[in-house]
Amino acid sequence: MLEESQARQRILDQADSGPVIWVPLELGLDQVLAQDIVGLVDSPPFDNSSMDGYAVKAADATSGSVLVVAEATQAAGLDRELELSSGEAIRIFTGAPVPAGADSVIMQEDVVREGGKITITHGVFEGENIRRRGGDVCAGQRLLDAGSVVTPTRIGLLASQGIPEIPVHSRPLVQIVTTGDELVEPGAPLLPGEIYNSNAPLLHSAVTKVGGVAATSHAADEMDKLREVLGHALSTAEVVVIAGGVSVGERDFVKEVLTDLGVSTDFWRVQVKPGKPFLFGRHEDGTMVFGLPGNPVSAFVTFLLFVKPVIQRLLGKPVQGVDSGQVFAVAKEAIHNRGDRPHYLRGILKGNEVQLSGTQQSHAIFGLSKANCLVRLEPEQEVAAGEQVMVLPI
Ligand code: AMP
Ligand code: MG
């Protein structure tokens, strides 16, 4: 049976950042740039006023001097190509192009206006209140490196450069297939023996949160039905995530049907708890196939450990988690792993202290819902209250 890190590495070795597509700027939010971005225009593109006031020559605008206000004014928008003469001031507003001949803008609060004249109360220095062309960005300057995550402020920067579309690694389509005769969709009544399908919405939102595009479908525990649903999933998605049916029960048909459909199992079972019956395979056409245990806690934990890193890789993002950037916290209580596999427990991390979250059985989704991290214990590891333990933020 593969160890957890070996299993993850083996999967990641088969994953590369996804194809590059150009998307409208706003749709690139949280995605990873596939190319460097270079400035297209100077920003600001022209010298302009940072204040409402008067464009002047600084030498004319000393304290106490009187200037004649020109008739024409310059607002933000069309450049009226005004020219300033000595002894003159031109009314100007924030963002407006600075008239030729002016070397500064005096704030309207620093003058007293009477009819067609202003008296300067506080002089200006040359260049005051003028935002210079290219003062922020110059055309040709490198703005963002390939691999940068697109944030709202970077979207603002690119928009200021007149860039309408950006190249990013496309979001992988992840088809989630839940299995089980006992499952009913939320909203329908429960008959005796049935439970609600919680994995479909849980995994759908987990995929979406990581940045993938999720779709769900469901198959009863029948060969034909599974073949139909999995066949469709394999033909449409880049990643197929199956929940349930991969264990050793009489009606766990997933492995057999996958083989029929041309999926070769790369490995089945990993030395980790929860997650022993985890399966990874590849379809002939390259589609990656994950089989997760059916219990919701186990499904979610194995998703975090093995599927999330792959989605991050496909998106061109750094893979975060157990093998890099480990986080430790102080245990608030004694925790013991009596088993021979690493064990992930659900925890609540507050500051640098962690405590366990409710009952730890793998169907217990209430405790999982309160958890904000997983606590990782090595085989046989005993942690006393006050000692450090590894945590994986959810
Ligand atoms: P299985 O791996 O199919 O044997 O399922 C293991 C356990 O998980 C069983 O108790 C199932 O009823 C439960 N289970 C499987 N799939 C789901 C699901 N989609 N939502 C909630 N529970 C599930
Ligand atoms: Mg089942």
Side-chain angles (χ1 to χ4, degrees):
M1 206 181 326
L2 280 182
E3 286 183 355
E4 180 201 346
S5 289
Q6 288 176 320
R8 192 166 28 251
Q9 200 48 53
R10 193 146 152 176
I11 300 168
L12 283 172
D13 285 347
Q14 301 182 45
D16 217 341
S17 47
V20 177
I21 51 164
W22 288 76
V23 294
L25 195 49
E26 293 93 323
L27 288 188
L29 181 64
D30 291 335
Q31 287 188 259
V32 173
L33 282 175
Q35 293 173 13
D36 296 345
I37 305 266
V38 170
L40 299 182
V41 291
D42 291 337
S43 177
F46 51 88
D47 289 356
N48 70 90
S49 176
S50 65
M51 289 289 169
D52 293 329
Y54 296 85
V56 294
K57 290 179 195 292
D60 290 349
T62 50
S63 202
S65 56
V66 176
L67 300 176
V68 176
V69 178
E71 238 168 67
T73 63
Q74 178 67 64
L78 191 66
D79 187 349
R80 301 180 69 187
E81 296 178 353
L82 302 178
E83 274 180 47
L84 181 83
S85 313
S86 284
E88 207 184 30
I90 293 177
R91 187 81 172 107
I92 191 168
F93 299 95
T94 305
V98 175
D103 61 22
S104 51
V105 170
I106 186 159
M107 276 167 45
Q108 64 192 36
E109 291 84 347
D110 288 345
V111 306
V112 175
R113 177 148 186 180
E114 277 168 315
K117 289 187 172 163
I118 53 170
T119 305
I120 313 292
T121 52
H122 288 98
V124 279
F125 57 81
E126 206 180 311
E128 195 172 346
N129 298 324
I130 292 182
R131 305 186 285 211
R132 291 291 173 201
R133 171 177 181 166
D136 189 21
V137 170
C138 290
Q141 183 180 344
R142 188 200 295 212
L143 301 180
L144 292 169
D145 294 335
S148 312
V149 173
V150 180
T151 61
T153 50
R154 287 171 173 171
I155 287 178
L157 169 69
L158 298 174
S160 79
Q161 287 290 306
I163 295 173
E165 288 179 336
I166 49 174
V168 294
H169 296 286
S170 74
R171 297 181 186 276
L173 176 60
V174 181
Q175 178 74 45
I176 296 149
V177 179
T178 53
T179 66
D181 290 340
E182 73 281 28
L183 297 168
V184 177
E185 295 309 309
L190 271 188
L191 299 178
E194 294 180 337
I195 61 169
Y196 285 117
N197 183 348
S198 42
N199 282 339
L202 170 66
L203 294 171
H204 186 287
S205 46
V207 166
T208 307
K209 197 167 171 197
V210 185
V213 176
T216 57
S217 49
H218 180 76
D221 294 317
E222 290 157 28
M223 287 279 209
D224 289 348
K225 188 67 191 162
L226 258 180
R227 200 171 284 122
E228 180 193 322
V229 172
L230 284 177
H232 180 257
L234 287 166
S235 66
T236 51
E238 285 137 281
V239 177
V240 174
V241 177
I242 307 157
V246 279
S247 205
V248 290
E250 222 169 65
R251 300 188 69 75
D252 289 340
F253 298 131
V254 166
K255 286 204 296 301
E256 203 178 325
V257 171
L258 284 176
T259 308
D260 289 354
L261 291 171
V263 174
S264 38
T265 299
D266 192 42
F267 60 88
W268 177 54
R269 297 191 154 174
V270 180
Q271 192 135 5
V272 65
K273 184 180 174 182
K276 198 169 167 190
F278 175 85
L279 174 145
F280 173 65
R282 297 292 294 275
H283 186 244
E284 295 152 351
D285 73 2
T287 306
M288 297 182 118
V289 180
F290 297 87
L292 314 186
N295 271 309
V297 173
S298 312
F300 182 67
V301 171
T302 47
F303 173 86
L304 284 187
L305 296 181
F306 303 114
V307 187
K308 180 177 170 181
V310 167
I311 299 178
Q312 287 173 326
R313 173 65 57 83
L314 293 173
L315 289 167
K317 293 188 176 177
V319 173
Q320 292 157 337
V322 189
D323 305 320
S324 59
Q326 297 177 349
V327 183
F328 289 85
V330 175
K332 274 183 92 173
E333 60 195 295
I335 318 174
H336 189 183
N337 178 11
R338 292 189 166 75
D340 60 358
R341 291 178 279 159
H343 192 177
Y344 284 92
L345 298 150
R346 277 62 70 199
I348 300 172
L349 183 64
K350 241 190 208 164
N352 71 335
E353 287 189 326
V354 67
Q355 67 184 98
L356 296 185
S357 156
T359 171
Q360 294 289 327
Q361 288 164 294
S362 48
H363 67 285
I365 200 163
F366 189 32
L368 175 66
S369 75
K370 287 186 277 196
N372 61 2
C373 71
L374 300 178
V375 177
R376 184 182 200 277
L377 292 186
E378 294 297 336
E380 318 283 347
Q381 188 181 356
E382 272 184 69
V383 178
E387 283 183 352
Q388 297 259 328
V389 66
M390 188 177 157
V391 294
L392 183 70
I394 289 178

